[in-house]
Amino acid sequence: MSSGSGTSAEDFDEWYSTMRGSTARDEIHQRHLGLPPRLLSSSLLTWDGVAEVAEALRLDPGNRLLDLACGRGGYGLEIASRTGARLIGIDFAPAALDQARGFGTGAAEFRLGEFADTALPDESVDAVVCVDAIQFQPTAEAFEEMRRVLRPGGRVALTTWEAVDHADERVPARIRAVGTETRLRDSGFTNVVVRERSQWRNGRRGRKPRLSTRATIPRCNPFTGKASRHWLLSI
C-alpha cells in the first residue's frame, strides 16, 4: 500500500503514536462500546461481541491464538485471558506493538508482520482472530496465510465491514472489494457461516453490522444509505 493512502504501515504507525497517553479518547471509546478500562480498542467490537468471538473460537487452555493486525493488543489479550490461550499478536505498526507489549503479560508475544507474511511456521496456531482490519487487505494472499498457519481443525473469527451492494459507489472502493466469505472458501476453509449483528452498530449512518461465523479447516482448513455490513467469521 502506498504511503498517503491512509492504510500504509507508516500511516498506522503515526496513528497509533498519537494514541499514547490519550486516556480521554480511550475512556470515551470504551464507554461507547461497553468495554472495561483494561481493554484498549481502536476498533468497533463491543463487549458482547468479544464474548461471541471468544465462544466461536472454542479455545482450550494452552492453545495458541494468533491476533492478526492486533493493534494495541486489547482484544487478543482479553480473549486469551478468558480462555487460557497463549497469545501471539502480529501487526505492521511498531508503535502499536510497543503499546501492546506494555499492556501484555509474559505469556503474550507481539511481533512485527503483515497479513500475507506473518513469518510463523506452518500449522503453528490453533485459532486466528482479526478484528475490524481484514478490509484493509482482503487479498487472496492474506486468507491463504491464515490457512497456512492454522492447524488442522483450527478456527478463525473475523469482524469487518462489507458492502451490502458491491456496485454502490457511495461505499469506498476498498470496502466494495471485500468478499470475506468467498475468500475463506477459496482458501480451503469449510463450514463458513455469516451472521448479521445489527446490535454492533457504531452509530455511523448507514453502516449495517454483521456477524459471520463459522468456518473450519478440513482435517487434511462516512457512508450513506445501506452502505456496509459488519461481519464476524470464525473457522
Side-chain angles (χ1 to χ4, degrees):
M1 300 178 215
S2 63
S3 182
S5 68
T7 56
S8 70
E10 292 79 9
D11 293 322
F12 274 94
D13 201 53
E14 181 179 356
W15 185 54
Y16 280 113
S17 294
T18 66
M19 295 182 189
R20 293 182 188 275
S22 181
T23 56
R25 177 203 172 279
D26 285 328
E27 288 170 1
I28 292 168
H29 200 67
Q30 288 160 343
R31 186 164 61 249
H32 180 63
L33 297 175
L35 303 176
R38 68 176 182 274
L39 201 164
L40 294 183
S41 168
S42 50
S43 301
L44 297 171
L45 188 64
T46 65
W47 187 239
D48 288 344
V50 175
E52 287 200 62
V53 171
E55 182 180 4
L57 291 171
R58 299 183 185 176
L59 288 158
D60 292 322
N63 281 172
R64 200 173 193 204
L65 169 65
L66 168 61
D67 185 357
L68 191 55
C70 65
R72 295 184 292 172
Y75 289 114
L77 288 166
E78 178 63 27
I79 293 169
S81 175
R82 293 184 184 206
T83 62
R86 294 174 296 151
L87 176 66
I88 176 165
I90 299 285
D91 203 283
F92 68 176
L97 295 172
D98 287 345
Q99 293 173 65
R101 293 183 185 111
F103 291 105
T105 65
E109 295 180 65
F110 293 97
R111 302 182 188 178
L112 196 66
E114 301 196 13
F115 277 111
D117 184 13
T118 63
L120 296 176
D122 292 355
E123 300 183 2
S124 58
V125 301
D126 299 285
V128 176
V129 65
C130 181
V131 176
D132 293 354
I134 192 63
Q135 69 270 16
F136 294 108
Q137 195 176 346
T139 61
E141 292 79 9
F143 288 89
E144 288 164 3
E145 181 71 352
M146 295 181 212
R147 175 71 176 82
R148 182 186 69 79
V149 301
L150 272 169
R151 293 184 177 125
R155 298 167 70 84
V156 61
L158 311 175
T159 69
T160 187
W161 294 102
E162 188 159 328
V164 173
D165 179 0
H166 289 269
D168 187 347
E169 295 184 357
R170 296 173 299 173
V171 183
R174 170 171 51 79
I175 300 297
R176 283 186 278 132
V178 179
T180 318
E181 182 176 5
T182 298
R183 288 294 193 195
L184 284 165
R185 294 189 190 281
D186 288 350
S187 299
F189 291 105
T190 60
N191 301 325
V192 178
V193 179
V194 178
R195 299 177 189 167
E196 188 168 312
R197 283 295 178 263
S198 59
Q199 67 269 34
W200 290 7
R201 293 186 185 277
N202 74 334
R204 292 191 183 181
R205 186 182 174 193
R207 289 197 173 187
K208 192 174 182 181
R210 274 201 161 191
L211 165 71
S212 78
T213 54
R214 155 182 113 230
T216 348
I217 279 194
R219 287 279 173 189
C220 21
N221 156 339
F223 299 154
T224 59
K226 291 185 177 178
S228 62
R229 296 172 177 170
H230 201 165
W231 306 65
L232 159 71
L233 296 104
S234 66
I235 301 170

